[in-house]
Amino acid sequence: MATLMDVARAAGVSKATASRALQRPELVAEATRERVRDAAERLGFRPNAAARALTTGRTGLIGLIVPTLSNPFFAPLVMGAQRAAEETHSHLLLAVSEYDPAREAALADRLSEQADGLIMVTPVGSDTALRERFRARPLVLVDRQVGRLPAVVADTASGLAELLGHLLELGHREIAYVSGPAGSWADRQRCAVLTEQAAAAGARLRVRGPLPPTFDAGIAVAGSIPAQATAVLAYNSYLALGLLHGLGVAGRRVPEDVSLAAADDLSTLSATTPPVTALDVPLEEAGALAVTRLLDLLAGRRRTVATHLPARPVLRASTAPPRGGAAGIRA
Amino acid sequence: MATLMDVARAAGVSKATASRALQRPELVAEATRERVRDAAERLGFRPNAAARALTTGRTGLIGLIVPTLSNPFFAPLVMGAQRAAEETHSHLLLAVSEYDPAREAALADRLSEQADGLIMVTPVGSDTALRERFRARPLVLVDRQVGRLPAVVADTASGLAELLGHLLELGHREIAYVSGPAGSWADRQRCAVLTEQAAAAGARLRVRGPLPPTFDAGIAVAGSIPAQATAVLAYNSYLALGLLHGLGVAGRRVPEDVSLAAADDLSTLSATTPPVTALDVPLEEAGALAVTRLLDLLAGRRRTVATHLPARPVLRASTAPPRGGAAGIRA
DNA sequence: TTGTAAGCGTTATCAT
DNA sequence: ATGATAACGCTTACAA
């Protein structure tokens, strides 16, 4: 591997000048700059990241911890983060915690040694641990709020409220909510919001789950959706897909017999038969924004504590007024 | 941040001894070792990765480039790789190429600066570029074979052949294959294998696609499955899920009217109605093995060139003999 | 505009 | 068993 010294020698300048020619070209005379660049090119010079990190104190690495990649929720998030990192010439150090707080802590510790800062998607695990971690190193939370720690939160809660509002408006009063994933912060938020709103509207909300976000689970739970329910709300779109199929197999047509909606829009439910009403959650933006926030933090810019990204319902053909009741209410 | 020097001072020893006490405890007297460890603990000493990398020439980082994370095929792969890396105290530097060779090349270049070696999942892009890259840095290919370069390949081809064999054995002679993703190396392999085998067996194979691996695409293509086809083979299980639903909506029952099978088993097709015959592809193993192979390479152990991981068909209720023809053939 | 030289925090090579 | 000391390759005052 050619070092900067080699380049400098080849270009007939000092290490310092070579470094400047490459990193801060404006500080170097045109001619010298070109000579150095040529030499670097010719020798196939690649700066040694470790050496640079050692002097500058910056690795250019961002640690990202997600609970899993099986849940399709996290893929767009990671992709968004990666793209944003790429644009700022950083790299992503990815780790998967498998929803295990101990493992997550270990990973965070180890990543901290290599990364300039951490982005954590940590639906389980304690607030105080996160607070403490934040003190040690720049940290941005995703989809979770802990005090005033910097966070990027997809505002599913209020979007979900709109979605439920839509069902209520259509006239539904017997609604099944399929919840999950088990133990997650966001799940608790969603359940709380929905329960309260349904109660306020005098509707009955039955909660099923918590379930994993899979097609299979949707099929399985389809059988236990009470006959009275005129609408089903699933927290995830794979679940909704499974429900769509499972309800069909069970002889309940969507939306004639029962309405169906999903609290995310991961699998583009727009092309199903019928297309499914869903919440559009800006996951890629969330990932990208988390990176931006972290870089701001690293640059000493301390901005707002938590950013909420709006999630908006996309109304499609799978939601309609219930068989009997609606007309009276709407008239 | 406490440095090794601080620890050494606190323990009343030299830097060298402190380093040894922590890295190679067996070289240090019990008492000293304990003193150093205590000091390190007390000061919250975290070794500086950059400094270590500078002296040892090892960063402990493994670059992993995947084309996307939207295709659920890659999630298990990444998870497998991450777990294996974690076990060997390495970390994963993740980048997404978006199937863009230019971007992939740029990412690979940049990752090479930080990582000890690279794992690339690169269905598109040129062989020669990969060969050249391999010369520059340790590299392991996944799901692609280029000459004698180290690679881990999920042997979908032969598993797929078994799967088609199963359909042929059941008596199917009019088979639709839904292919994809567009332009991928594995897609070409699959198409080639299937076309040849079908021809040899005197069966007709109609290829649809290439299509993306999504539920929607499956629904959309369901309409264009020819009426004569008694069996449909999809290269991906989300596609199969979509087909299952789409065929149902179109009034064709599985497996009575048409058999259905998938060339991977990502979404546990075991729980659908009916359960879908699929190919079990060991993706996590592939990811983990790629890491192992790379570490071997780094350690100077040069082993077999390409490892094939067997993919095995899992026969379920979605495949059955065709309506009329089968009996005669089997009798 | 360019060069000199001092680190950055480890590990590794010698001595002792 | 331990300690000095020299790398590792780069950036950055400071000097010229």
Side-chain angles (χ1 to χ4, degrees):
Chain A
M1 265 287 109
T3 77
L4 187 61
M5 190 61 219
D6 300 331
V7 174
R9 249 195 295 268
V13 298
S14 72
K15 266 194 321 183
T17 303
S19 173
R20 280 188 290 247
L22 266 15
Q23 304 303 321
R24 332 243 326 242
E26 71 278 10
L27 297 183
V28 163
E30 166 105 34
T32 337
R33 189 192 313 155
E34 284 315 314
R35 243 177 325 130
V36 172
R37 281 182 170 163
D38 282 1
E41 170 84 15
R42 209 171 47 246
L43 298 173
F45 170 70
R46 317 254 47 169
N48 179 317
R52 175 179 297 171
L54 187 55
T55 43
T56 61
R58 282 293 175 80
T59 61
L61 264 29
I62 295 176
L64 172 59
I65 302 184
V66 296
T68 179
L69 290 173
S70 305
N71 183 335
F73 184 87
F74 299 110
L77 204 128
V78 173
M79 290 191 51
Q82 205 270 321
R83 202 168 309 162
E86 196 178 329
E87 273 163 19
T88 60
H89 298 275
S90 311
H91 284 299
L92 230 50
L93 226 37
L94 179 77
V96 180
S97 70
E98 313 252 14
Y99 292 101
D100 174 351
R103 186 162 163 202
E104 181 182 84
L107 284 169
D109 282 343
R110 300 221 359 247
L111 284 189
S112 293
E113 291 173 17
Q114 311 245 50
D116 294 334
L118 248 46
I119 297 175
M120 294 178 72
V121 190
T122 169
V124 299
S126 88
D127 282 16
T128 55
L130 292 173
R131 282 219 167 75
E132 197 160 318
R133 196 169 289 292
F134 175 70
R135 255 191 297 282
R137 272 219 183 271
L139 169 66
V140 173
L141 261 27
V142 174
D143 237 37
R144 166 142 181 194
Q145 232 174 316
V146 174
R148 309 177 55 76
L149 298 194
V152 174
V153 182
D155 200 350
T156 333
S158 81
L160 200 54
E162 282 188 62
L163 200 53
L164 179 57
H166 167 62
L167 292 175
L168 291 169
E169 219 167 82
L170 286 173
H172 295 277
R173 287 298 175 271
E174 290 279 352
I175 300 175
Y177 173 60
V178 183
S179 73
S184 117
W185 182 84
D187 181 44
R188 286 192 295 278
Q189 302 288 306
R190 287 189 287 254
C191 281
V193 164
L194 291 175
T195 308
E196 186 183 352
Q197 188 182 359
R204 166 139 193 206
L205 185 85
R206 294 172 221 251
V207 178
R208 291 286 174 274
L211 260 43
T214 62
F215 189 85
D216 316 357
I219 293 195
V221 81
S224 69
I225 299 299
Q228 304 98 309
T230 61
V232 182
L233 188 51
Y235 84 91
N236 164 273
S237 50
Y238 286 86
L239 216 39
L241 249 30
L243 275 160
L244 182 61
H245 186 68
L247 290 169
V249 169
R252 299 170 76 172
R253 285 163 310 160
V254 174
E256 292 83 353
D257 302 327
V258 59
S259 285
L260 178 65
D264 68 40
D265 202 9
L266 294 175
S267 48
T268 33
L269 295 166
S270 58
T272 52
T273 313
V276 177
T277 292
L279 208 55
D280 178 37
V281 184
L283 261 5
E284 297 220 9
E285 285 94 311
L289 188 56
V291 167
T292 310
R293 293 289 305 274
L294 184 60
L295 293 171
D296 281 352
L297 224 58
L298 289 170
R301 283 176 298 237
R302 192 62 169 283
R303 309 196 318 167
T304 52
V305 284
T307 311
H308 288 257
L309 262 37
R312 305 208 181 290
V314 181
L315 306 184
R316 303 200 181 98
S318 71
T319 43
R323 263 196 182 301
I329 292 173
R330 316 179 92 191
Chain B
M1 265 288 107
T3 76
L4 189 62
M5 189 63 219
D6 299 331
V7 174
R9 251 194 295 269
V13 299
S14 71
K15 268 194 318 183
T17 304
S19 174
R20 279 188 292 247
L22 298 170
Q23 304 305 321
R24 332 246 323 245
E26 71 277 10
L27 298 183
V28 162
E30 166 105 35
T32 339
R33 190 193 311 157
E34 283 315 313
R35 247 181 318 135
V36 173
R37 280 180 172 164
D38 282 2
E41 170 84 13
R42 210 170 48 245
L43 297 173
F45 169 71
R46 316 254 49 170
N48 179 315
R52 175 179 296 172
L54 187 54
T55 41
T56 61
R58 281 293 175 80
T59 61
L61 299 179
I62 295 175
L64 173 58
I65 302 184
V66 296
T68 180
L69 290 173
S70 304
N71 183 335
F73 185 86
F74 300 109
L77 204 129
V78 174
M79 291 190 49
Q82 205 270 321
R83 201 167 310 160
E86 196 178 331
E87 275 163 18
T88 59
H89 299 274
S90 312
H91 284 300
L92 230 48
L93 226 38
L94 180 78
V96 180
S97 68
E98 313 251 15
Y99 292 99
D100 173 351
R103 186 159 163 207
E104 181 182 84
L107 285 169
D109 282 344
R110 300 222 358 251
L111 284 189
S112 293
E113 291 173 18
Q114 311 243 46
D116 293 333
L118 247 48
I119 296 174
M120 295 179 70
V121 190
T122 169
V124 298
S126 87
D127 283 14
T128 56
L130 293 172
R131 281 220 167 74
E132 199 160 319
R133 197 170 287 295
F134 176 69
R135 255 192 295 283
R137 268 215 186 276
L139 168 67
V140 173
L141 261 27
V142 174
D143 237 35
R144 168 148 181 190
Q145 232 174 314
V146 174
R148 308 178 57 75
L149 298 194
V152 175
V153 182
D155 198 353
T156 334
S158 80
L160 201 53
E162 282 189 61
L163 200 53
L164 179 56
H166 168 63
L167 292 175
L168 291 170
E169 218 166 85
L170 286 173
H172 295 277
R173 288 297 175 273
E174 289 279 350
I175 300 174
Y177 173 60
V178 183
S179 73
S184 116
W185 182 85
D187 181 43
R188 285 193 295 278
Q189 301 288 308
R190 286 187 288 254
C191 282
V193 165
L194 291 176
T195 308
E196 184 183 353
Q197 188 181 359
R204 168 141 191 202
L205 185 86
R206 293 171 222 253
V207 179
R208 291 285 174 277
L211 260 43
T214 62
F215 189 85
D216 316 359
I219 293 194
V221 81
S224 69
I225 298 299
Q228 304 98 305
T230 60
V232 182
L233 187 51
Y235 84 90
N236 165 272
S237 50
Y238 286 86
L239 214 40
L241 249 31
L243 274 161
L244 182 62
H245 186 68
L247 290 169
V249 169
R252 300 169 77 172
R253 287 162 308 159
V254 174
E256 292 83 354
D257 303 327
V258 59
S259 284
L260 179 64
D264 68 40
D265 202 9
L266 293 174
S267 49
T268 33
L269 294 167
S270 58
T272 53
T273 312
V276 177
T277 292
L279 208 56
D280 178 36
V281 185
L283 261 6
E284 297 220 7
E285 284 95 312
L289 188 56
V291 168
T292 309
R293 293 291 303 274
L294 185 59
L295 293 172
D296 280 353
L297 226 57
L298 289 169
R301 281 175 299 236
R302 192 61 167 285
R303 308 195 320 163
T304 52
V305 285
T307 311
H308 288 260
L309 262 38
R312 306 207 179 291
V314 182
L315 307 185
R316 302 200 181 98
S318 70
T319 43
R323 258 191 187 303
I329 292 173
R330 315 181 92 192

